[in-house]
Amino acid sequence: ATHLHPQNAANANANADNAMTSFLRSTIALRSTMLAFMLAMALAAPIGHLRRLQETATETVDLGTADTFAILTKSGITSVAPSDITGDIGVSPIAATAMTGFALTMDPSGQFSTSDQVTGKCFAADYTSPTPAKMTKAISDMEAAYTDAAGRPVVAANLNRKGGLIDGETFETGVHRWGSEVKFEIEIFIEGDEDDIFIFQTSGNVNAGNGAKVTLVPKSTTVAGIKVFTGNPPKASNIFWQVAGKIDAGINSHLEGTFLVQTHSAFRSGSRLNGRALAQTAVTLIDTTIYLE
C-alpha cells in the first residue's frame, strides 16, 4: 500500500478545499451575473417603453393647411379695433359676414379680402373658387390636429399638476394633462430648447388673468450654486394647447403657442398671443395682437 506523508496529505486536502472554494465562488459569481442581467432586462423593458411613450408623445402636432392661419374658426371672428393680426384669418363653413369689425375690402379676384388690422389675407367659405375648397381643407386639418393633440399619452408625473392652479409653475418638454380647467393669474414658465415640443391638454377652460403671462426660458443648469441658462428658449410654434372648453385671455395678458380650442376663444383688451387661435366655434378680439415668431 502507498502511504502519503502527513504533510503531503495535508497539502492535498488543502488543494482540494481550495479547488472546491474556487468552484463555489465561480458558481456564485456566475449566478449573480445572471441574476443582475435578468434584473436589468426586466427593468429595461418598462424604461424602454416609457422612453418610446415619451418620444411618441412629444412629436409635433401637424396642423396641415391650418398652419398658415393666425386665426381660423367655424363660427366667426369679431374684432373691436384696433386689433393687429399678423398672418391669415379665415372662417368656414360660415360666410364672410361672420368676420366683423375688420372693415374688409374684397380683392378683385374675389378669392380673399384684406383689412387694415390684418397683415395677411382674409378668407371665407363663400368667396370665389378655389377658396371654398381651401377653407374646407383647413378646417378639416384643424379638427384633425385637435384630435391628435387630445390623444397624446401622458406620464403620471404630468397629470393634473397643481389641480390646474398653475401660477409660478415651470413646464418642461412633454405632454401635460388636466381633467379640469387651467388657471393662472400672474406667470408660468415653459422651459426647454428651440426644438422641444410641449402639449397642454385640458378637458376644461384655460383662464389667464389680467396681466398674466407665459414666459419662454431656455434650459438651465446650476453651476456653483448659480442658475445658468443655456441655448435658445422654446419656440411658440412648438407649443400646443388642446382645450376642450374655452380660453379667456385677460386684459393685457400674454400667451404663447397654438391654441386648438373646441369652443370659444376670448381675447380681452390689450391681450397678446405669440401663436395661433384655431377655434371650432368663434374668436373675439378687443384691441388684441396676434403674431407668430
Side-chain angles (χ1 to χ4, degrees):
T2 301
H3 298 282
L4 293 174
H5 187 279
Q7 182 61 46
N8 292 337
N11 289 340
N13 289 335
N15 289 337
D17 288 343
N18 289 338
M20 180 59 72
T21 300
S22 296
F23 173 76
L24 290 174
R25 285 177 177 172
S26 298
T27 302
I28 292 170
L30 179 61
R31 289 181 176 176
S32 297
T33 301
M34 292 178 65
L35 286 171
F37 175 76
M38 293 171 65
L39 179 60
M41 291 297 292
L43 291 174
I47 291 173
H49 173 71
L50 179 59
R51 185 178 293 111
R52 289 191 298 273
L53 180 68
Q54 291 172 329
E55 289 173 352
T56 300
T58 53
E59 293 175 354
T60 192
V61 176
D62 185 3
L63 299 177
T65 59
D67 181 76
T68 64
F69 288 89
I71 305 175
L72 180 63
T73 83
K74 296 172 70 173
S75 300
I77 309 168
T78 299
S79 174
V80 176
S83 291
D84 184 4
I85 313 301
T86 301
D88 295 340
I89 69 173
V91 295
S92 180
I94 203 164
T97 53
M99 293 187 287
T100 61
F102 288 99
L104 297 175
T105 300
M106 179 62 74
D107 183 77
S109 69
Q111 296 176 5
F112 64 90
S113 57
T114 58
S115 168
D116 289 342
Q117 298 179 60
V118 180
T119 303
K121 298 176 181 179
C122 310
F123 296 94
D126 60 337
Y127 284 175
T128 301
S129 181
T131 299
K134 169 188 175 75
M135 295 309 301
T136 297
K137 183 65 167 62
I139 292 293
S140 176
D141 288 348
M142 174 184 74
E143 292 175 330
Y146 176 93
T147 300
D148 177 16
R152 297 297 181 92
V154 61
V155 297
N158 292 345
L159 187 61
N160 294 319
R161 189 163 166 180
K162 290 297 185 84
L165 303 177
I166 59 173
D167 255 319
E169 291 295 291
T170 298
F171 297 93
E172 297 181 347
T173 182
V175 179
H176 304 268
R177 179 185 299 168
W178 292 269
S180 62
E181 76 171 11
V182 173
K183 184 177 183 179
F184 59 102
E185 297 289 342
I186 302 173
E187 187 173 17
I188 65 170
F189 304 90
I190 297 178
E191 179 178 314
D193 64 37
E194 59 187 352
D195 296 321
D196 285 341
I197 305 296
F198 303 80
I199 300 175
F200 299 92
Q201 307 165 330
T202 175
S203 61
N205 305 323
V206 172
N207 292 308
N210 295 340
K213 62 181 178 179
V214 177
T215 300
L216 308 183
V217 294
K219 286 182 177 179
S220 63
T221 185
T222 301
V223 178
I226 300 174
K227 193 173 186 179
V228 178
F229 293 100
T230 59
N232 297 317
K235 291 181 178 179
S237 57
N238 289 333
I239 301 169
F240 303 90
W241 300 76
Q242 174 266 314
V243 184
K246 65 180 182 179
I247 65 169
D248 190 342
I251 296 170
N252 296 324
S253 61
H254 178 90
L255 302 179
E256 298 273 349
T258 294
F259 282 80
L260 296 158
V261 186
Q262 194 166 43
T263 61
H264 183 232
S265 301
F267 294 87
R268 302 188 185 278
S269 180
S271 57
R272 297 172 62 87
L273 168 63
N274 179 18
R276 307 176 183 89
L278 310 180
Q280 295 183 36
T281 59
V283 171
T284 57
L285 315 167
I286 303 175
D287 186 17
T288 298
T289 300
I290 297 180
Y291 60 99
L292 182 60
E293 292 182 340

